[in-house]
Amino acid sequence: MRTGIWLIGARGSVAVTATVGALALRAGLAEPVGCVTEQPPLCDAALPAWTDLVIGGHDIVATPVLKKAETLAAGGVLPGRIVGVLTSELLAHEDRVRMLPTAATQAETADRMAADLAAFAQIHRLDRVVVINVSTTEPAAHSHPAHADIDVLHTALTQTDQILPASALAAYAAFRAGCAFVDFTPSTGARLPALADYARQQRVPFGGNDGKTGETLVKSVLAPMFAMRNLRVQSWSGLNLLGGGDGANLADPAANAAKVSSKQRVLGDALGYLPQGTSRIDYVEDLGDFKTAWDLVGFSGFLGTRMRMEFSWHGCDSALAAPLVLDLARVTAAAHAAGHVGALTDLGFFFKDPLGDGPSALSEQWTALTTFVGGLEQRR
Amino acid sequence: MRTGIWLIGARGSVAVTATVGALALRAGLAEPVGCVTEQPPLCDAALPAWTDLVIGGHDIVATPVLKKAETLAAGGVLPGRIVGVLTSELLAHEDRVRMLPTAATQAETADRMAADLAAFAQIHRLDRVVVINVSTTEPAAHSHPAHADIDVLHTALTQTDQILPASALAAYAAFRAGCAFVDFTPSTGARLPALADYARQQRVPFGGNDGKTGETLVKSVLAPMFAMRNLRVQSWSGLNLLGGGDGANLADPAANAAKVSSKQRVLGDALGYLPQGTSRIDYVEDLGDFKTAWDLVGFSGFLGTRMRMEFSWHGCDSALAAPLVLDLARVTAAAHAAGHVGALTDLGFFFKDPLGDGPSALSEQWTALTTFVGGLEQRR
Amino acid sequence: MRTGIWLIGARGSVAVTATVGALALRAGLAEPVGCVTEQPPLCDAALPAWTDLVIGGHDIVATPVLKKAETLAAGGVLPGRIVGVLTSELLAHEDRVRMLPTAATQAETADRMAADLAAFAQIHRLDRVVVINVSTTEPAAHSHPAHADIDVLHTALTQTDQILPASALAAYAAFRAGCAFVDFTPSTGARLPALADYARQQRVPFGGNDGKTGETLVKSVLAPMFAMRNLRVQSWSGLNLLGGGDGANLADPAANAAKVSSKQRVLGDALGYLPQGTSRIDYVEDLGDFKTAWDLVGFSGFLGTRMRMEFSWHGCDSALAAPLVLDLARVTAAAHAAGHVGALTDLGFFFKDPLGDGPSALSEQWTALTTFVGGLEQRR
Amino acid sequence: MRTGIWLIGARGSVAVTATVGALALRAGLAEPVGCVTEQPPLCDAALPAWTDLVIGGHDIVATPVLKKAETLAAGGVLPGRIVGVLTSELLAHEDRVRMLPTAATQAETADRMAADLAAFAQIHRLDRVVVINVSTTEPAAHSHPAHADIDVLHTALTQTDQILPASALAAYAAFRAGCAFVDFTPSTGARLPALADYARQQRVPFGGNDGKTGETLVKSVLAPMFAMRNLRVQSWSGLNLLGGGDGANLADPAANAAKVSSKQRVLGDALGYLPQGTSRIDYVEDLGDFKTAWDLVGFSGFLGTRMRMEFSWHGCDSALAAPLVLDLARVTAAAHAAGHVGALTDLGFFFKDPLGDGPSALSEQWTALTTFVGGLEQRR
């Protein structure tokens, strides 16, 4: 099952880490730490092998991937030794990354993107391609009547207005090319009625949104802990300090609002009520690719006794996100092969703001994921 | 189903908090925060009602329970208002607490304990009694040949030597009186082959050990999180600062060792390997009934990137333990009624060092518990 | 030296804690913990004795002080026992608290305030009175031409417009009545050229602004530590979570901005450069009178090695502020007696945003304070 | 003023970091971050210039310094780029590091050490040499009658017994060779009456002990803060997690005890009483050259209100210690040149457990240091 991964934002930190990692895994240079599909029972499922994966992608910048990899190595995100060994592979990879097309209309842009996808599949003799958006977070999109109906949308895109935000246009192009689509960001992606219809028409699945790599991951186990113990969470406040491109982008209040909202959703779902407090995001350039989150949880126990918990999470976003991107490509490709179309609602394990009404507790999401992937296996 | 709860250590912080809480719940003065049996689906099971519970117990000190409750109120553990309202109930409760008997032989001591239990059941017309050990942690016990065989044990106890540690003698006396037994401490309790045999002979169940109320509770959700995400935990170090009677006792290195060992078990179980680091316990009198735990988790992700997480837990042990004591009484009484005998191995949700080979991840323990309790319901 | 303390906001948490504390100290019910004037060498200076102090004040609410004290006791801020013992003194104190006057013009309001001050001094035979603003933080004030010139100001106040924010009007009224003024809040207070002139004309001193009770206190020792060690602070980010009235008020972005700005000033002063990062304030009602601050400091050492420090501060604002209010009253009254007029620039030890260009490192502020107070002693 | 630095433990992490740093400073490859003698007013004092310094030393292991530097670079302690640029300098440095002599008697060993020092000074035409102990911490030494009297000591060292621990023998050899001595470790060093006499006889100064690089540094500003504010510190508990050679060594309970004791001294000195709690040290190999300390401070304020502060310090010991080693060499050489002999008691700024009865608050230690160094300047 030769599988292509087409990354929107292919020259960014997450994409380059995923690329170096996939090459390193194929070359046996690294262990698949952080790859959840390498764990039982997922490792026994019929997923594409590391050697079946080919990575390409679009970006709006031209920095060579090798150079970005070297920058990441200098910042402690990638091991310099591995980047050195993979130099020739990374130079070869460069040919598989293209500038994101721009055209007079979004319809034309989408055509060119779809053409790139078709060429990628043909050149590398791929059975299927999964398009994954790992570009930076967009501001919340403006709604438009064409978002509700795929036929209206087709027409609207032939105008010179910008009808779709970039993430949604990527989804549209993927579906046009018969590819699955996953949005790893909090952007719109495929979350429009017209695009959901289009995916079903084109018989392709899609997944998202917003990879769960830090504070929200921890919340998704701690909130259920408080709930299972019937402790009353009075307040849950947090501060996320981010460097890197994503941090700078989220300093924009509009993008920030989108992300913050998806960060608190898990609390209401797990607890059945929303405690006081908010979760903030601040940009601190000096943190580079790392992020630090601090959360304070005030809770009360038997007879009202007040107690508290704090945690600090110091994570490298790229190192946490990249293996999940590879996992999602494997799972989504297998789902596509097994005939799933439309929204994949059993992937909540990976996302802060998952599609559908699945559970928000990590352990239940794990059960949903393993059941889903196990079912793929049986069907084949 | 009138149910007695007989607390070993009935004048201690946990016992008095449980007692005040049970009286407050019966009087409708408080909500059952922290009581897990009040949550779905457990709240639908056929468990004894709050109004069915009668509490008594043994202790080696004579401080009136009311006075202890007032001390706990001054320390912020109990609300002074509720203690005030319950004054007459607490004075009445005083008659149900007896000095722990002492006699020339442990057999004779056990006879007197069993006689107290029988009198308690008769006076209050109880269908059954659950004996729960909430006294302070013992040093690790010395092994003795009589621990292996109940017949040898019966004989050995008639000598003047101390054959059993106090917690095990309490279990022996409970079984003699036909009562279920739960050990909420890390002490020996019923964990001797001779006592397990005796429980089966007497057709009574037993549970334990070591109530999971703080750092280990958090570990039991965080360690599975790292495992599910296939992140490599390199080190996990912790410091527990405890005031109160338990803290002073655990400053004794022998008792400390027993507790520390049960605290790290969850990591090996959840991760499949034991990371570097230890968990320490220190006594800080000034903390009173509160305890603070700090843990540092060093982990690595994709391609070896090093990351870290810290958490601080500031909890009131009595407020966390007391509702679980009531939960355990309800569940164990129902299990006894349903015909369960010997070790109850589905109660890992409550314990740091549970009996049997059950799961160590909290979510799996929750599933095991709800399945077990649901089964009790169906059987009746 | 009989000394009056007139509190603007006399029914608030800080004021009531200061009042109960002053009464408790006079009655020998409590030790002067947190009172810096009780430490050598300040305790040897010629300051008013606890028994010389009489407290009164203005407020815009009518809640009895005794009731507020009981509320604070229930919230763990004041010991209930002491409030109980002082019941009659607190009832007597009630007569010394008046509703803040309101009139058609600010000139008239100021006259009524000054009349209240004069009556307070006369009734209690006070040598002098220090007016201290402990009301909630105001939004940043709009500038007005009359702020620059005292003669213009006198005239402008006779119009019906609001020329001065409430804190500045309190300073004006204090000066009119010949009283010293201290602003314990980040509000405008006496920080207008016209008011500084007026203080000099009236031969009274004034001090401020913004009592240093938590995160900034810690910053004022940690930032100099990094500076003395020549370590490079790359970023310093913080989150302040506040309950209580002050917290709710600071949720207002305008007031928040004033406070945040004074919080970062210490960093630039101590380090000689401003690191990345900001200090945020969020309101979490559930925290009550307590506040929690978390700061992350990223710094680099020899050859660029990256390191970090975090701290959490969990303080009770009233318990930290109240003894400083009493200290400031004692020191300001002594400065007044010793003939100081205008801005007191040696009180930076007490303030986040001190008047003048004094040092920002706490140890240097301590030296400045003790030298200043020692000088008062010699002059008498 | 050509100055030699002779490091005992010249192949260890601290020594190699200091060596690479000194070479980098001389070559203009790095800024003197972390070097306190580069700050005003110390930077204006008559201290040896970076270009005046020559480094040599003894060690008991033979790992090449270049190889150790590469290992440190791989662990993120040194920048690989700088190590690369300095390769030839580091190879040249290798010739200045000798195996620590061993002989039948300690007198003979000391003679050989002194001969190495003399040769070092002659070859490099040094005006003076400062011997600095940066080897790993020794267990607490056994006392011996010869420690009290230098004449008895001279004789005793000619026996085959081990009379002096290694750190003290290094001090003895330094004094024999007319060199100043500084102990950067908590080991005995020159802290024996006989050695103090010997230093005075030989007209050389000595300094120590135990470089203040992490938790204790923070304590030396926070404890005075609580003291200046007259807040009552009820408890101060800490856990230090160390990797690296020092950590492994301190896992030895005897060495651990020595270090822990010097860590709590600052609290008693600053506060005037010793709060509850202890400071623990644990070895966690995975932390490498980094160490993490966590401290919990429980304190009470006005009217007994309970509050708390926590901090975490994540530092790289070598990066913090190395610039101080260079600072100490500069200052001690200048003191030697200015005629100071015996214990240097104004260097408490650098040490956890300083010689003499100087202040323990960092700001007062800074004043003492700058006064001392300023005095050196004036004397010349």
Side-chain angles (χ1 to χ4, degrees):
Chain A
M1 189 160 66
R2 285 184 62 80
T3 303
I5 305 177
W6 190 264
L7 300 172
I8 309 297
R11 301 187 186 286
S13 297
V14 171
V16 172
T17 303
T19 302
V20 170
L23 294 171
L25 288 170
R26 186 156 67 185
L29 295 170
E31 288 179 82
V33 172
C35 295
V36 304
T37 50
E38 285 292 311
Q39 299 233 93
L42 299 178
C43 57
D44 303 322
L47 302 175
W50 298 123
T51 47
D52 289 334
L53 301 180
V54 182
I55 301 184
H58 279 133
D59 208 318
I60 58 172
V61 298
T63 324
V65 168
L66 177 57
K67 191 166 166 48
K68 177 73 177 182
E70 288 165 350
T71 305
L72 290 169
V77 177
L78 293 177
R81 188 183 56 78
I82 284 181
V83 173
V85 171
L86 294 173
T87 299
S88 60
E89 281 84 348
L90 288 167
L91 289 172
H93 168 73
E94 197 65 42
D95 293 337
R96 297 190 292 270
V97 180
R98 301 202 173 179
M99 289 304 288
L100 189 71
T102 54
T105 66
Q106 288 197 314
E108 201 175 337
T109 302
D111 282 344
R112 294 187 192 175
M113 291 173 76
D116 284 347
L117 286 166
F120 176 59
Q122 185 183 2
I123 292 167
H124 299 285
R125 302 182 315 284
L126 303 170
D127 294 313
R128 62 190 54 76
V129 175
V130 180
V131 176
I132 304 186
N133 181 23
V134 288
S135 63
T136 55
T137 299
E138 296 167 355
H142 299 289
S143 71
H144 187 282
H147 293 176
D149 184 299
I150 182 60
D151 294 322
V152 178
L153 182 62
H154 286 311
T155 307
L157 292 176
T158 63
Q159 313 299 314
T160 56
D161 298 344
Q162 191 191 316
I163 308 297
L164 291 177
S167 62
L169 190 65
Y172 179 87
F175 299 160
R176 165 148 300 199
C179 299
F181 176 81
V182 174
D183 205 318
F184 202 78
T185 80
S187 302
T188 303
R191 289 182 293 182
L192 296 173
L195 292 176
D197 285 347
Y198 196 27
R200 281 187 293 269
Q201 286 177 13
Q202 298 288 90
R203 313 293 306 157
V204 292
F206 64 90
N209 279 54
D210 203 3
K212 183 160 62 182
T213 55
E215 187 203 26
T216 310
L217 176 64
V218 179
K219 278 178 168 171
S220 73
V221 297
L222 288 181
M225 178 194 81
F226 287 107
M228 281 188 276
R229 279 296 175 98
N230 202 15
L231 297 164
R232 175 92 198 169
V233 177
Q234 307 280 358
S235 69
W236 196 311
S237 305
L239 178 62
N240 289 266
L241 303 173
L242 310 177
D246 203 35
N249 188 270
L250 290 169
D252 172 40
N256 194 321
K259 193 123 184 176
V260 162
S261 154
S262 84
K263 274 174 159 306
Q264 292 293 90
R265 174 178 159 177
V266 62
L267 298 185
D269 285 358
L271 297 171
Y273 55 89
L274 207 56
Q276 294 177 16
T278 58
S279 181
R280 289 190 172 277
I281 302 177
D282 269 347
Y283 175 60
V284 181
E285 183 195 353
D286 180 62
L287 292 176
D289 281 284
F290 282 76
K291 64 180 175 187
T292 291
W294 173 78
D295 277 39
L296 172 67
V297 186
F299 62 98
S300 57
F302 203 42
L303 305 178
T305 310
R306 306 306 295 265
M307 298 176 272
R308 57 198 296 155
M309 182 182 179
E310 290 176 48
F311 69 85
S312 298
W313 171 271
H314 315 292
C316 175
D317 215 35
S318 303
L320 291 163
L324 301 181
V325 167
L326 301 179
D327 287 326
L328 280 163
R330 298 175 85 188
V331 169
T332 306
H336 192 182
H340 283 274
V341 300
L344 298 174
T345 57
D346 289 312
L347 307 186
F349 182 79
F350 295 103
F351 296 114
K352 285 201 207 53
D353 197 14
L355 301 170
D357 297 321
S360 65
L362 192 72
S363 58
E364 295 174 43
Q365 293 175 330
W366 175 249
T367 302
L369 176 65
T370 53
T371 304
F372 176 71
V373 175
L376 299 179
E377 184 176 23
Q378 289 155 16
R379 191 183 303 198
R380 298 178 81 249
Chain B
M1 187 159 69
R2 285 184 61 78
T3 302
I5 306 178
W6 189 263
L7 300 172
I8 308 296
R11 300 186 185 285
S13 297
V14 172
V16 172
T17 304
T19 301
V20 170
L23 293 172
L25 288 169
R26 187 156 65 185
L29 296 170
E31 288 180 81
V33 172
C35 294
V36 304
T37 50
E38 286 292 312
Q39 301 232 93
L42 298 179
C43 57
D44 303 322
L47 302 175
W50 297 124
T51 46
D52 289 334
L53 300 181
V54 182
I55 302 185
H58 278 133
D59 207 318
I60 59 173
V61 298
T63 324
V65 167
L66 176 58
K67 188 166 168 47
K68 177 73 177 183
E70 288 166 350
T71 305
L72 290 169
V77 177
L78 294 177
R81 187 183 56 80
I82 284 183
V83 172
V85 171
L86 294 172
T87 299
S88 60
E89 281 84 349
L90 287 167
L91 288 172
H93 169 73
E94 196 65 42
D95 293 337
R96 297 191 291 271
V97 180
R98 302 202 172 180
M99 290 302 289
L100 189 72
T102 53
T105 68
Q106 288 195 313
E108 201 175 336
T109 301
D111 282 344
R112 294 186 190 175
M113 292 173 75
D116 285 348
L117 288 166
F120 177 59
Q122 187 183 1
I123 292 166
H124 299 285
R125 300 181 319 281
L126 304 170
D127 293 314
R128 62 191 55 78
V129 175
V130 180
V131 177
I132 304 185
N133 181 24
V134 288
S135 62
T136 56
T137 299
E138 296 167 354
H142 299 289
S143 70
H144 186 284
H147 294 174
D149 184 298
I150 182 60
D151 294 322
V152 179
L153 181 62
H154 286 313
T155 306
L157 292 176
T158 62
Q159 313 300 314
T160 55
D161 297 344
Q162 190 190 317
I163 307 298
L164 291 177
S167 63
L169 190 65
Y172 180 86
F175 299 159
R176 165 147 299 198
C179 299
F181 176 82
V182 174
D183 205 318
F184 203 78
T185 80
S187 303
T188 303
R191 288 181 294 182
L192 296 174
L195 292 175
D197 285 348
Y198 195 28
R200 282 187 293 269
Q201 285 178 14
Q202 299 287 89
R203 310 297 303 160
V204 291
F206 65 89
N209 281 56
D210 204 2
K212 185 161 61 184
T213 54
E215 187 203 28
T216 309
L217 176 65
V218 180
K219 279 178 167 172
S220 73
V221 297
L222 288 181
M225 178 194 82
F226 288 107
M228 280 187 278
R229 278 296 174 98
N230 202 14
L231 296 164
R232 174 94 198 167
V233 177
Q234 306 281 358
S235 68
W236 197 311
S237 306
L239 177 62
N240 289 266
L241 302 173
L242 310 178
D246 204 34
N249 188 271
L250 288 169
D252 172 41
N256 194 322
K259 193 122 185 176
V260 162
S261 154
S262 84
K263 274 172 159 308
Q264 291 295 90
R265 175 178 158 177
V266 62
L267 297 184
D269 284 358
L271 298 170
Y273 54 88
L274 206 56
Q276 295 177 17
T278 57
S279 181
R280 288 189 173 278
I281 302 177
D282 269 346
Y283 175 60
V284 180
E285 183 195 353
D286 180 62
L287 292 175
D289 280 283
F290 282 76
K291 64 182 176 186
T292 291
W294 174 78
D295 277 39
L296 172 67
V297 186
F299 62 100
S300 56
F302 204 42
L303 305 177
T305 310
R306 306 305 296 264
M307 298 176 272
R308 57 196 296 153
M309 180 183 182
E310 291 175 50
F311 70 83
S312 298
W313 170 271
H314 314 293
C316 174
D317 216 34
S318 302
L320 291 162
L324 301 181
V325 166
L326 300 179
D327 287 327
L328 280 163
R330 297 175 87 187
V331 169
T332 305
H336 191 182
H340 282 275
V341 301
L344 298 174
T345 56
D346 290 312
L347 308 185
F349 182 79
F350 295 103
F351 295 115
K352 286 200 204 58
D353 196 14
L355 301 170
D357 297 320
S360 64
L362 192 72
S363 58
E364 296 175 44
Q365 293 174 331
W366 174 251
T367 303
L369 175 66
T370 52
T371 305
F372 176 70
V373 174
L376 297 179
E377 184 177 23
Q378 288 155 15
R379 191 184 301 198
R380 297 178 84 247
Chain C
M1 190 159 71
R2 285 183 61 79
T3 303
I5 306 177
W6 190 265
L7 300 171
I8 308 296
R11 302 187 186 285
S13 297
V14 172
V16 172
T17 304
T19 301
V20 170
L23 294 172
L25 287 170
R26 187 155 66 186
L29 295 170
E31 288 179 81
V33 173
C35 295
V36 303
T37 51
E38 287 291 313
Q39 299 232 93
L42 299 178
C43 57
D44 303 322
L47 301 175
W50 297 123
T51 46
D52 290 333
L53 301 179
V54 182
I55 302 184
H58 279 135
D59 207 317
I60 57 172
V61 298
T63 325
V65 168
L66 176 58
K67 190 167 166 46
K68 178 72 175 182
E70 288 165 350
T71 305
L72 290 168
V77 177
L78 293 177
R81 186 184 55 80
I82 285 183
V83 173
V85 171
L86 294 171
T87 299
S88 60
E89 281 84 349
L90 287 167
L91 288 172
H93 168 75
E94 196 65 41
D95 293 337
R96 297 190 291 271
V97 180
R98 301 200 174 180
M99 289 304 287
L100 188 72
T102 53
T105 68
Q106 288 196 314
E108 200 175 337
T109 301
D111 282 343
R112 295 187 191 175
M113 291 173 75
D116 284 347
L117 286 166
F120 176 59
Q122 187 184 359
I123 292 166
H124 299 285
R125 302 182 314 283
L126 303 171
D127 294 312
R128 62 191 52 77
V129 174
V130 181
V131 176
I132 304 185
N133 180 24
V134 289
S135 62
T136 56
T137 299
E138 296 168 355
H142 299 291
S143 70
H144 187 281
H147 293 175
D149 185 298
I150 181 61
D151 294 322
V152 179
L153 182 62
H154 286 313
T155 307
L157 292 176
T158 61
Q159 313 299 315
T160 56
D161 296 346
Q162 190 191 316
I163 308 297
L164 292 176
S167 62
L169 190 64
Y172 180 86
F175 299 160
R176 165 146 301 199
C179 299
F181 176 81
V182 174
D183 204 318
F184 203 78
T185 80
S187 303
T188 302
R191 289 182 293 183
L192 296 174
L195 292 176
D197 285 347
Y198 196 29
R200 280 188 293 269
Q201 286 178 12
Q202 299 286 89
R203 311 296 304 159
V204 292
F206 64 89
N209 281 57
D210 203 3
K212 184 160 63 182
T213 54
E215 188 203 26
T216 309
L217 176 65
V218 180
K219 278 178 168 172
S220 74
V221 297
L222 288 181
M225 178 193 82
F226 287 107
M228 283 188 275
R229 279 296 175 97
N230 203 14
L231 297 165
R232 175 94 198 164
V233 177
Q234 307 281 358
S235 69
W236 195 309
S237 305
L239 178 62
N240 289 265
L241 303 172
L242 309 178
D246 203 36
N249 188 271
L250 290 168
D252 172 40
N256 194 322
K259 192 123 186 176
V260 162
S261 155
S262 84
K263 275 174 159 306
Q264 292 294 90
R265 174 179 158 175
V266 62
L267 297 184
D269 285 357
L271 297 170
Y273 55 89
L274 206 57
Q276 295 178 17
T278 58
S279 181
R280 288 189 172 278
I281 302 176
D282 268 346
Y283 175 59
V284 180
E285 182 195 354
D286 180 62
L287 292 176
D289 281 283
F290 282 77
K291 64 181 175 186
T292 291
W294 173 79
D295 277 39
L296 173 67
V297 186
F299 62 100
S300 56
F302 204 41
L303 306 176
T305 310
R306 307 305 295 264
M307 298 175 273
R308 59 196 296 152
M309 182 182 179
E310 291 175 50
F311 69 86
S312 298
W313 171 271
H314 314 292
C316 174
D317 217 32
S318 302
L320 291 163
L324 301 180
V325 167
L326 300 179
D327 287 326
L328 280 163
R330 297 175 86 188
V331 169
T332 304
H336 191 182
H340 283 273
V341 302
L344 298 174
T345 56
D346 290 313
L347 307 186
F349 182 79
F350 295 104
F351 295 115
K352 284 201 206 56
D353 197 12
L355 301 170
D357 297 321
S360 65
L362 192 72
S363 59
E364 296 174 43
Q365 293 175 331
W366 175 249
T367 302
L369 175 66
T370 53
T371 304
F372 176 70
V373 174
L376 297 180
E377 183 175 22
Q378 289 155 17
R379 190 182 303 198
R380 299 181 81 249
Chain D
M1 189 159 69
R2 286 185 59 80
T3 303
I5 305 177
W6 189 264
L7 300 171
I8 310 294
R11 301 185 185 287
S13 298
V14 172
V16 172
T17 304
T19 301
V20 170
L23 294 171
L25 288 170
R26 187 155 68 186
L29 294 170
E31 287 180 82
V33 174
C35 295
V36 303
T37 50
E38 287 292 312
Q39 300 233 94
L42 298 179
C43 56
D44 303 321
L47 302 175
W50 297 124
T51 47
D52 290 334
L53 301 180
V54 183
I55 301 184
H58 279 134
D59 207 317
I60 57 174
V61 298
T63 324
V65 167
L66 177 58
K67 189 167 168 47
K68 178 71 178 182
E70 289 165 350
T71 304
L72 289 169
V77 177
L78 294 176
R81 187 184 55 80
I82 285 183
V83 173
V85 171
L86 294 173
T87 299
S88 60
E89 282 84 349
L90 287 167
L91 288 172
H93 169 73
E94 196 66 41
D95 293 338
R96 297 191 291 271
V97 180
R98 301 201 172 179
M99 288 304 289
L100 188 72
T102 53
T105 68
Q106 287 196 312
E108 201 174 338
T109 301
D111 282 344
R112 295 187 191 175
M113 292 173 76
D116 284 349
L117 286 166
F120 176 58
Q122 187 185 0
I123 292 167
H124 299 286
R125 302 182 316 284
L126 303 170
D127 294 313
R128 63 190 54 77
V129 174
V130 181
V131 177
I132 304 186
N133 181 25
V134 289
S135 62
T136 54
T137 298
E138 297 167 354
H142 299 290
S143 70
H144 187 281
H147 293 176
D149 184 299
I150 181 60
D151 295 321
V152 178
L153 182 62
H154 286 312
T155 308
L157 292 176
T158 63
Q159 313 300 313
T160 55
D161 297 345
Q162 191 191 316
I163 307 297
L164 291 176
S167 63
L169 191 64
Y172 179 87
F175 299 160
R176 164 146 302 197
C179 298
F181 176 82
V182 174
D183 204 317
F184 202 78
T185 78
S187 302
T188 303
R191 288 182 293 183
L192 296 173
L195 292 176
D197 285 346
Y198 196 28
R200 282 187 293 268
Q201 286 177 12
Q202 298 288 89
R203 312 294 307 159
V204 292
F206 64 90
N209 283 54
D210 204 2
K212 183 160 64 184
T213 54
E215 187 203 27
T216 309
L217 176 64
V218 180
K219 279 179 169 171
S220 73
V221 297
L222 288 181
M225 178 193 82
F226 287 107
M228 282 187 278
R229 279 296 175 99
N230 202 15
L231 297 165
R232 174 94 199 167
V233 177
Q234 307 281 359
S235 68
W236 196 309
S237 306
L239 178 62
N240 289 266
L241 302 173
L242 311 177
D246 203 36
N249 188 270
L250 289 169
D252 172 41
N256 194 322
K259 193 123 184 176
V260 162
S261 155
S262 84
K263 274 171 160 306
Q264 291 295 89
R265 176 179 155 175
V266 63
L267 297 184
D269 284 357
L271 297 171
Y273 56 87
L274 206 56
Q276 295 178 17
T278 58
S279 181
R280 289 190 172 276
I281 302 177
D282 268 346
Y283 175 60
V284 180
E285 184 194 354
D286 180 62
L287 292 175
D289 280 284
F290 282 76
K291 64 182 175 185
T292 291
W294 173 79
D295 277 38
L296 172 67
V297 186
F299 62 99
S300 56
F302 205 41
L303 304 178
T305 311
R306 307 306 296 265
M307 297 176 272
R308 56 197 297 153
M309 180 183 182
E310 292 175 50
F311 70 85
S312 297
W313 172 270
H314 314 293
C316 174
D317 215 34
S318 303
L320 291 163
L324 301 181
V325 167
L326 300 179
D327 287 326
L328 280 164
R330 297 175 86 188
V331 169
T332 304
H336 191 183
H340 282 275
V341 300
L344 297 174
T345 56
D346 289 312
L347 307 185
F349 182 79
F350 295 103
F351 296 114
K352 285 201 206 56
D353 196 14
L355 300 170
D357 297 320
S360 64
L362 192 72
S363 59
E364 297 174 41
Q365 293 174 332
W366 175 250
T367 302
L369 176 65
T370 54
T371 304
F372 176 71
V373 174
L376 297 180
E377 185 176 18
Q378 289 155 17
R379 190 181 306 197
R380 298 180 81 247

